[in-house]
Amino acid sequence: MSKTTIKDVAGLAGVSPSSVSRSLRGMGGVSAGTTERIRAAADQLGYTVSPAAYRLATGRTGTIAVVMPYLTRWFFAELLGGAEAVIRQAGLDLLLYHIGDLEMRKRYFSSGILRKRVDGVLIATLALTEPEVSALRSLDVPVCMVGTLVEGFSSVCIDDVASARTAVQHLINLGHERIALIAGDPREPMHFTVPPQRHAGYLAALGAAGLPTGPELEAQGAFTVEGGEEATVQLLGRAELPTAIFAECDEMAFGALRVLDRVGLRVPDDVSVVGFDDHPMASYFGLTTVAQDVAEQGRVIADHLVRRAQANGTKPARLGASTRLVIRATTAAPRNKAHNAHNAHKSRTLRATGTAGAALSAARLRRPALANGHDPLERPPGPRPDGHERLATIKKKKGETQQ
Amino acid sequence: MSKTTIKDVAGLAGVSPSSVSRSLRGMGGVSAGTTERIRAAADQLGYTVSPAAYRLATGRTGTIAVVMPYLTRWFFAELLGGAEAVIRQAGLDLLLYHIGDLEMRKRYFSSGILRKRVDGVLIATLALTEPEVSALRSLDVPVCMVGTLVEGFSSVCIDDVASARTAVQHLINLGHERIALIAGDPREPMHFTVPPQRHAGYLAALGAAGLPTGPELEAQGAFTVEGGEEATVQLLGRAELPTAIFAECDEMAFGALRVLDRVGLRVPDDVSVVGFDDHPMASYFGLTTVAQDVAEQGRVIADHLVRRAQANGTKPARLGASTRLVIRATTAAPRNKAHNAHNAHKSRTLRATGTAGAALSAARLRRPALANGHDPLERPPGPRPDGHERLATIKKKKGETQQ
DNA sequence: TCGGGCAACGCAAGCGGTTGCGCTCAACGG
DNA sequence: CCGTTGAGCGCAACCGCTTGCGTTGCCCGA
């Protein structure tokens, strides 16, 4: 019966409801014998305290809100998984909120829907605007962030700048000098903080090494495989090809790998690629990348949040999370620097398959021809009408026609 | 102020709390003028009803529980995304539960933690045991399932049998006769219903066409990339190679593609591969697969659940979801049936890279050598100590040494 | 003019717990 | 032997909102 109340238990045990309450939550003031009778009565009746009544009486909701801009992307799913385990372990409820677009986001924070509803809020990688921050402050519950620093809120962050710098430094150490960046699109509506930071790390490494930087070496796209493809296509349309590419996230790196593969550029022979995140597919592709344990971050921050939510008065803290460079198979020393220096800019029609060398045929082997026509090399990226022309011919390093 | 109660609003508006309550929820019995004053007072004070008090008073929780065996896997993340949108749209809270392993699962259902906590439950692809079912029944709230049929519960299902059959029929239509299956591991602790159904579809198609079936043509692994790799490795150790492989899910197909690639078998030239699900990466690999719209299923079932939770008395229903075969680039007619028939079983050492033909070198280009040593070809699958020996040499079709 | 009917609104009793406070009574020290 | 103490337990007042029912006052028909 789902209707058993504390009174039923009290009646069965022959005590008052207050004793049942005290006993069941171990507050003392109840003799061992009584406690035993109460416990017996309680689980004979299958009694469960009513969360609503409990919350009303105590004022604590026993609930944590987790708000995420994406549910399906690897990073967020992983984070959610880590947080969920800890939150539930602590006996709290996890209220999930997905903030899909800017309008939802606006409504969400201004509606005050969280008010009186949660004991704590966990927000993933959203760079909050001032009104959003103050809306959260007015909730008067601890707020924890992932990947973003806000005064008064706790957070867990990896060092994106340093980590990106490490990744690029790896390329530099290998001897690369023209290192391109595949970056997140700054027009991204959700204002993530990650892309600019990884961008900064990229620039820092190159700057410190005295290597060239500039728009010629940078291309942008969404933080997805498709975004990575588009950005790489842009790169391939530039006057001079890089010998290495740093992608701000693994998904973009996958996109890069695909495009490079299709045009017959070999990885890492012709171009090295390094990603960021260590997405589960990264090992599949043998992608060199910067690994971060996202689930662990979720656990750490959720644990902190739970603590703050329960023991009120704890101060907000800034937690760190480590990263490490994982070197796999997509990075290597550039083939031949001297040769590379005065490479003949021999242009060649990309889609003239008849002239394809073994490398191109290898690409073809991997991915023969897409039946759904979804091919970035054939379909110029929407916003850039000149993409197609620029791609008709590309500069490619000469030589190494086959082993 | 997060402490504003209905009395504050009533006081400001100069009415009684009951009028505020009636007015705010549009129950009539309040004059237009009063309603206006109340509304003004309410949002001047930033008033929000206390969910706890509301729930206690009304008995309805305004909450839906969503329970998932995985959070990070594509299918479940997608489903969650779809359901979340609908649930929140309906103004309900979404309580997320992750049932990681069997023990959690047991504790979860026996603890009655859902009791008095939710107005409805949405469960993804768990084949419930009898005690679990009755535990859910005793909750006395509508229960909806995804991918599983239970008497008295609603559900949304694709036709796994027919869809799998379609996928295999596609291979048959192309002329394939030796069609292997990469199947989910039956020892999977969570008892999913999908693998056996897709298995049945596979058998049905083959049976109807009079084509061979049997353990020689089947291999098992986890429903993951790694599982697909392991299963494919098993397949490659068999006496006779299939010309086509049906993987019960796309992740497994990805694993198959990788292994085939590494050993130099070309797709679809040497082996056709078809998956199931249309995972976002499927188009990346050009994988022929059976597409299903998982987010849509989440939306549909959540909508149904919300309806049932609100208008009590609605009957449970069985909803369907469609699938469609998406033909991409991993399936083609078998190269040469006649030739195939009396192929010389020329064994060759897999890792003797010196003898590698162009195809193998192409594989090498794609995935040169894993730095982390996580290579199914080098590491025999745990449970099968004889895997390594069997893999030392494999039977491989002769001919087609190069493009 | 007067009674009936019906909006509009307030009263108060819950909903199912928690918790401060007061009572009872056995144990114990002086 | 008596006063004090404190453990064990019940009483009742909330927590904030909903809702059935009673009251008020106005409009209308007879």
Side-chain angles (χ1 to χ4, degrees):
Chain A
M1 184 65 70
S2 76
K3 284 295 166 200
T4 62
T5 120
I6 198 173
K7 283 180 191 161
D8 302 326
V9 177
L12 216 187
V15 294
S16 73
S18 27
S19 289
V20 175
S21 176
R22 277 189 270 261
S23 162
L24 254 30
R25 51 216 334 268
M27 293 188 57
V30 182
S31 72
T34 308
T35 293
E36 184 45 43
R37 285 211 317 284
I38 289 176
R39 180 168 310 283
D43 54 44
Q44 172 184 335
L45 264 40
Y47 170 72
T48 314
V49 313
S50 153
Y54 172 84
R55 290 167 191 181
L56 217 215
T58 62
R60 43 198 330 169
T61 65
T63 303
I64 299 290
V66 176
V67 3
M68 317 225 105
Y70 298 102
L71 256 27
T72 54
R73 290 196 187 175
W74 167 76
F75 181 92
F76 299 93
E78 200 73 21
L79 195 68
L80 180 59
E84 197 275 351
V86 171
I87 290 173
R88 199 129 91 74
Q89 179 65 31
L92 301 181
D93 281 342
L94 161 19
L95 220 44
L96 180 64
Y97 292 96
H98 171 44
I99 305 298
D101 51 43
L102 280 176
E103 193 188 349
M104 285 178 63
R105 181 170 171 173
K106 182 161 188 176
R107 273 212 313 275
Y108 181 74
F109 285 105
S110 64
S111 71
I113 194 181
L114 254 29
R115 199 181 298 287
K116 305 179 189 169
R117 199 172 292 260
V118 297
D119 289 341
V121 182
L122 177 50
I123 302 185
T125 62
L126 283 174
L128 268 27
T129 63
E130 180 43 46
E132 290 170 348
V133 168
S134 57
L136 284 171
R137 285 228 175 77
S138 79
L139 251 39
D140 202 33
V141 298
V143 175
C144 291
M145 319 267 322
V146 176
T148 316
L149 294 178
V150 175
E151 181 59 32
F153 296 170
S154 297
S155 60
V156 61
C157 296
I158 61 171
D159 189 335
D160 275 293
V161 177
S163 303
R165 183 168 177 167
T166 298
V168 176
Q169 187 64 46
H170 165 58
L171 295 172
I172 295 171
N173 294 344
L174 287 173
H176 290 277
E177 297 180 345
R178 283 194 66 82
I179 303 174
L181 175 73
I182 294 184
D185 194 326
R187 299 190 305 275
E188 157 68 47
M190 301 299 267
H191 302 122
F192 293 120
T193 54
V194 162
Q197 294 189 20
R198 295 184 185 172
H199 187 193
Y202 161 80
L203 290 178
L206 257 35
L211 291 176
T213 63
E216 270 292 306
L217 283 170
E218 300 184 8
Q220 290 153 355
F223 243 50
T224 61
V225 174
E226 292 75 21
E229 289 174 350
E230 293 177 10
T232 306
V233 166
Q234 289 177 52
L235 240 34
L236 294 182
R238 303 283 166 76
E240 200 175 351
L241 241 44
T243 65
I245 296 176
F246 169 51
E248 282 181 355
C249 72
D250 282 354
E251 284 97 332
M252 297 190 82
F254 301 158
L257 289 179
R258 176 178 169 180
V259 170
L260 293 172
D261 186 35
R262 291 224 52 186
V263 303
L265 286 169
R266 308 193 303 182
V267 175
D269 306 45
D270 299 323
V271 180
S272 283
V273 175
V274 46
F276 199 122
D277 281 343
D278 201 23
H279 186 285
M281 274 288 189
S283 72
Y284 181 99
F285 289 110
L287 179 67
T288 294
T289 191
V290 176
Q292 60 169 324
D293 189 339
V294 180
E296 176 64 14
Q297 291 174 55
R299 270 178 249 120
V300 163
I301 193 69
D303 181 72
H304 174 75
L305 177 54
V306 163
R307 230 177 280 280
R308 284 192 64 196
Q310 287 175 337
N312 220 327
T314 323
K315 292 273 168 275
R318 305 207 159 168
L319 280 30
S322 63
T323 60
R324 66 181 206 289
L325 182 67
V326 177
I327 299 179
R328 296 202 178 94
T330 57
T331 49
R335 172 69 65 160
N336 181 339
K337 288 197 217 176
H339 182 63
N340 198 26
H342 43 82
N343 53 359
H345 286 316
K346 173 184 170 190
S347 72
R348 130 178 120 72
T349 300
L350 254 190
R351 300 178 54 210
T353 63
T355 73
L360 184 52
S361 101
R364 212 146 272 289
L365 162 69
R366 275 302 293 184
R367 191 149 4 295
L370 295 189
N372 64 354
H374 179 283
D375 188 343
L377 293 181
E378 298 178 7
R379 178 204 56 181
R384 295 173 202 78
D386 60 333
H388 194 269
E389 289 79 0
R390 281 208 266 132
L391 281 170
T393 61
I394 65 164
K395 324 300 179 189
K396 182 178 181 301
K397 283 188 297 178
K398 178 187 172 182
E400 290 106 45
T401 50
Q402 175 57 338
Q403 74 263 11
Chain B
M1 184 65 70
S2 77
K3 284 294 168 201
T4 64
T5 118
I6 200 173
K7 281 180 192 163
D8 302 326
V9 177
L12 216 188
V15 294
S16 74
S18 27
S19 289
V20 174
S21 175
R22 276 189 270 260
S23 162
L24 254 31
R25 50 215 336 267
M27 293 187 57
V30 182
S31 73
T34 308
T35 294
E36 184 46 42
R37 284 210 318 285
I38 290 175
R39 181 168 307 285
D43 53 44
Q44 172 182 336
L45 265 40
Y47 171 72
T48 314
V49 313
S50 153
Y54 172 85
R55 289 167 192 180
L56 182 54
T58 62
R60 44 198 328 169
T61 65
T63 304
I64 300 290
V66 176
V67 4
M68 318 224 105
Y70 296 103
L71 258 26
T72 55
R73 289 196 187 175
W74 167 75
F75 180 92
F76 299 94
E78 201 73 22
L79 194 68
L80 180 59
E84 197 274 351
V86 170
I87 289 172
R88 200 131 89 75
Q89 179 64 32
L92 301 181
D93 281 342
L94 162 20
L95 223 44
L96 180 65
Y97 292 96
H98 171 45
I99 306 298
D101 52 42
L102 279 176
E103 194 188 347
M104 285 178 62
R105 179 171 173 172
K106 183 161 188 177
R107 273 212 314 274
Y108 181 75
F109 284 105
S110 64
S111 71
I113 193 180
L114 254 28
R115 200 180 300 285
K116 305 180 191 170
R117 198 171 294 259
V118 297
D119 289 340
V121 183
L122 177 51
I123 302 186
T125 61
L126 283 174
L128 267 28
T129 63
E130 179 44 46
E132 290 170 348
V133 167
S134 57
L136 283 170
R137 284 229 175 77
S138 78
L139 251 37
D140 201 34
V141 298
V143 175
C144 291
M145 321 267 322
V146 175
T148 316
L149 294 179
V150 175
E151 180 60 31
F153 295 169
S154 297
S155 60
V156 61
C157 296
I158 61 171
D159 189 334
D160 276 292
V161 177
S163 303
R165 183 166 178 170
T166 298
V168 176
Q169 187 63 47
H170 165 58
L171 295 171
I172 295 172
N173 293 344
L174 287 173
H176 290 277
E177 297 180 345
R178 281 194 68 82
I179 302 174
L181 175 72
I182 295 185
D185 194 326
R187 299 188 307 276
E188 157 68 46
M190 302 298 269
H191 302 120
F192 293 120
T193 55
V194 162
Q197 293 190 19
R198 295 185 186 171
H199 187 193
Y202 161 81
L203 290 178
L206 257 35
L211 291 176
T213 62
E216 270 292 307
L217 283 171
E218 300 183 10
Q220 291 153 355
F223 243 48
T224 60
V225 173
E226 292 74 21
E229 289 174 350
E230 292 176 11
T232 306
V233 166
Q234 290 177 51
L235 240 32
L236 294 183
R238 303 282 168 75
E240 198 174 352
L241 242 43
T243 65
I245 297 176
F246 169 52
E248 282 182 354
C249 71
D250 282 352
E251 283 96 333
M252 297 191 81
F254 301 157
L257 290 179
R258 175 178 169 178
V259 170
L260 292 173
D261 186 37
R262 290 223 53 183
V263 302
L265 286 169
R266 308 192 303 182
V267 175
D269 306 44
D270 300 324
V271 180
S272 284
V273 175
V274 46
F276 200 120
D277 282 343
D278 201 24
H279 186 287
M281 274 288 190
S283 72
Y284 181 100
F285 289 110
L287 179 68
T288 293
T289 190
V290 177
Q292 61 170 323
D293 189 339
V294 181
E296 175 65 12
Q297 291 174 55
R299 270 178 248 120
V300 164
I301 193 69
D303 181 72
H304 173 76
L305 177 54
V306 163
R307 230 178 280 280
R308 283 192 64 196
Q310 288 176 337
N312 221 326
T314 322
K315 293 271 168 276
R318 305 207 159 168
L319 281 28
S322 64
T323 60
R324 67 181 204 288
L325 182 66
V326 176
I327 300 179
R328 295 202 179 93
T330 57
T331 49
R335 171 71 67 164
N336 183 337
K337 289 197 216 178
H339 180 64
N340 198 26
H342 43 80
N343 53 359
H345 286 315
K346 173 186 174 189
S347 70
R348 126 181 121 73
T349 301
L350 255 191
R351 300 179 54 212
T353 62
T355 72
L360 184 51
S361 101
R364 211 145 274 285
L365 160 71
R366 276 303 293 184
R367 188 151 3 301
L370 294 191
N372 65 354
H374 179 280
D375 186 342
L377 293 180
E378 297 177 10
R379 178 204 57 180
R384 296 173 201 80
D386 61 331
H388 194 270
E389 289 78 2
R390 280 208 267 131
L391 282 171
T393 61
I394 66 165
K395 323 302 181 191
K396 181 178 180 303
K397 283 189 295 179
K398 178 186 171 182
E400 291 105 43
T401 52
Q402 176 56 340
Q403 78 259 13

